[in-house]
Amino acid sequence: MTDFSELIDRRHTNSVKWDVKDNELPMWVADMDFRTLPAIVEAIQERSKSGIFGYEEVPQAYFDAVQSWYEKEHNWRPETAWMIFATGVVPTISSAVRRLTNVGDNVLIQAPVYNIFYNSILNNGRHVLSSDLVLDNQGRYHIDWDDLESKMAEPLTTMMILCNPHNPVGMIWPVETLARIGELAAKHHVVVLSDEIHGDITAPDKGYTPFASVNRINEQNSVTAVSPSKTFNVAALHAATVIVPSEALRAIVNRGLNTDELAEPNSFAIPATIAAYTSGHQWVHDLRAYIEKNKQTVAKFVAENIPSVKVISGDATYLVWLDTSKVGMPSDKLEQFIRQETGLYLSDGTVYGGDGQQFLRMNVACPEERLMDGLNRLKKGIAAAKSL
Ligand SMILES: Cc1ncc(COP(=O)(O)O)c(C=O)c1O
């Protein structure tokens, strides 16, 4: 069993997450406080030994490793010929938006959703069209199918960005849901870009389904982006894989990635990804168990100690979605207030759109001891906010 309990000091390491004041505890950006898989570190050390870091090609072994990971972990064997290396998921999304849609088109999303989707759409002169997810009183998010279909049917809607599984609400989309989205998208000529960066981090007994694996309709009308960056905590390695089964779509996406200079790896991206995808299975299974335990700790602690907050946590991601609507302060103010009062730095739900202004997002990918510190600060911060 991998030990995830070590408290690693990440201050003063140029970490975006940990660039905070001494008394502050960051639990915001999706970056884990765990050291990565040892085989990744060894692969990087080995690669550095040559001392030569010239331009590199992507070897077949890289694509074979991606294929094998998806086959073993997710019951999907994408052909290696469908894959393109890219330097990140977000750069891929932005590039695909530029190549597969036109200025002024609508790109459909499902808010509340990963805030950077908005940047990829708006920065390229396209419109954001959201079919907001609807929260029921059991704490589950749903798709409003009539709304989704009417927005897909708008003539200017040419792409949908699907977050599969969904950040920030943690939903694993059921196969039937993915099939229905795929059917509607094909009917209305909307290409689906499925961002599957969180796909490896699910509750131990709950896998996610790759969108393109569902059926041939989904396969032929989609662009899937995957990466070891969330799974193995290697975001700064800048390695992702774009999987496009349709030859016609792949040619367009490939041209975009090359035009945007996003298809060339740095010296460590390839050996690190191969190491991750060939020897990381057990490590990821251990990670899933640790995160699940942390999520259960949050649910129990909040239920027992912070009755005005409700945990809306799906079965995927290491991000917990906290309903703070009963606290009586919008999330942007509440996030600032808790940070000032207690040093706990969470994500303000407002940035994800939809109903996010009544939520905070908490990153629980940290040792249990740090999690408990965060939860105690949360309790203190909410109590202070309520007493205003
Ligand atoms: C849904 C989603 N997509 C993409 C990313 C970032 O991807 P990358 O660092 O490969 O650009 C994140 C990071 O949090 C994310 O949550």
Side-chain angles (χ1 to χ4, degrees):
M1 194 74 181
T2 315
D3 181 11
F4 292 105
S5 66
E6 187 189 349
L7 290 170
I8 302 167
D9 184 2
R10 301 182 62 195
R11 291 175 196 278
H12 314 295
T13 60
N14 296 332
S15 157
V16 169
K17 182 178 183 182
W18 280 89
D19 182 15
V20 292
K21 295 193 195 115
D22 286 350
N23 70 323
E24 288 187 325
L25 175 60
M27 298 180 83
W28 62 294
V29 64
D31 170 326
M32 307 196 283
D33 286 341
F34 306 131
R35 191 166 278 127
T36 194
L37 172 75
I40 293 182
V41 180
E42 284 155 25
I44 290 172
Q45 283 167 341
E46 191 53 38
R47 175 64 189 82
S48 72
K49 280 186 189 157
S50 74
I52 297 181
F53 306 103
Y55 298 116
E56 290 192 21
E57 284 175 344
V58 182
Q60 181 62 29
Y62 171 90
F63 299 114
D64 291 344
V66 178
Q67 180 185 58
S68 152
W69 180 263
Y70 277 82
E71 185 172 23
K72 290 187 183 131
E73 293 295 330
H74 306 299
N75 301 315
W76 182 40
R77 190 179 153 85
E79 289 183 18
T80 56
W82 298 347
M83 301 176 189
I84 309 163
F85 172 86
T87 51
V89 170
V90 168
T92 296
I93 295 173
S94 298
S95 175
V97 164
R98 283 190 290 275
R99 280 279 158 168
L100 296 173
T101 73
N102 286 304
V103 170
D105 280 3
N106 296 326
V107 178
L108 189 58
I109 55 160
Q110 296 169 294
V113 76
Y114 179 49
N115 50 321
I116 308 300
F117 287 177
Y118 295 88
N119 300 359
S120 293
I121 301 167
L122 297 170
N123 289 344
N124 289 299
R126 277 69 171 168
H127 297 294
V128 171
L129 189 62
S130 175
S131 179
D132 289 1
L133 297 176
V134 183
L135 186 64
D136 68 18
N137 45 23
Q138 312 293 319
R140 306 270 318 161
Y141 275 98
H142 297 274
I143 293 173
D144 176 342
W145 289 103
D146 290 340
D147 182 68
L148 186 79
E149 177 156 21
S150 74
K151 285 175 174 156
M152 276 196 185
E154 285 190 26
L156 283 175
T157 306
T158 45
M159 179 187 276
M160 171 171 178
I161 307 178
L162 177 71
C163 201
N164 178 36
H166 193 94
N167 169 15
V169 309
M171 280 276 293
I172 296 182
W173 298 113
V175 181
E176 308 73 50
T177 302
L178 296 173
R180 197 164 167 192
I181 291 175
E183 195 186 321
L184 293 175
K187 178 176 163 196
H188 296 292
H189 310 292
V190 172
V191 177
V192 177
L193 192 147
S194 190
D195 176 340
E196 306 195 351
I197 200 167
H198 291 280
D200 294 320
I201 301 181
T202 55
D205 53 344
K206 309 245 171 68
Y208 98 106
T209 306
F211 179 80
S213 74
V214 171
N215 57 36
R216 188 153 165 89
I217 295 176
N218 287 21
E219 183 191 277
Q220 290 302 308
N221 188 38
S222 61
V223 174
T224 298
V226 299
S227 166
S229 75
K230 298 288 145 204
T231 316
F232 293 95
N233 211 27
V234 290
L237 272 178
H238 296 291
T241 307
V242 192
I243 307 175
V244 198
S246 152
E247 198 179 334
L249 267 183
R250 188 164 65 247
I252 301 171
V253 171
N254 195 18
R255 192 82 316 272
L257 290 170
N258 279 281
T259 305
D260 296 337
E261 313 291 356
L262 298 173
E264 284 178 29
N266 68 69
S267 300
F268 303 113
I270 301 301
T273 305
I274 293 175
Y277 283 159
T278 52
S279 41
H281 296 279
Q282 189 55 48
W283 189 92
V284 170
H285 295 174
D286 293 348
L287 175 73
R288 285 177 188 148
Y290 197 87
I291 286 170
E292 183 58 19
K293 195 161 154 282
N294 275 1
K295 283 176 151 181
Q296 284 169 8
T297 301
V298 173
K300 188 162 178 290
F301 183 96
V302 171
E304 288 171 3
N305 297 282
I306 324 179
S308 55
V309 172
K310 202 164 138 201
V311 176
I312 310 284
S313 186
D315 288 318
T317 80
Y318 49 74
L319 308 163
V320 175
W321 193 229
L322 300 169
D323 181 346
T324 55
S325 52
K326 296 223 171 71
V327 179
M329 200 186 273
S331 317
D332 54 346
K333 296 220 165 48
L334 186 59
E335 182 262 306
Q336 288 292 317
F337 180 81
I338 293 173
R339 191 170 176 186
Q340 271 150 25
E341 285 288 311
T342 73
L344 176 63
Y345 182 3
L346 301 175
S347 298
D348 156 25
T350 316
V351 301
Y352 307 102
D355 63 1
Q357 78 288 349
Q358 58 194 47
F359 289 85
L360 294 173
R361 194 190 75 171
M362 183 180 214
N363 175 349
V364 303
C366 62
E368 193 188 352
E369 193 180 328
R370 194 167 281 160
L371 178 69
M372 291 315 298
D373 181 6
L375 287 171
N376 283 310
R377 291 180 196 229
L378 181 66
K379 180 179 169 185
K380 196 173 141 209
I382 297 288
K386 289 212 42 127
S387 69
L388 285 179

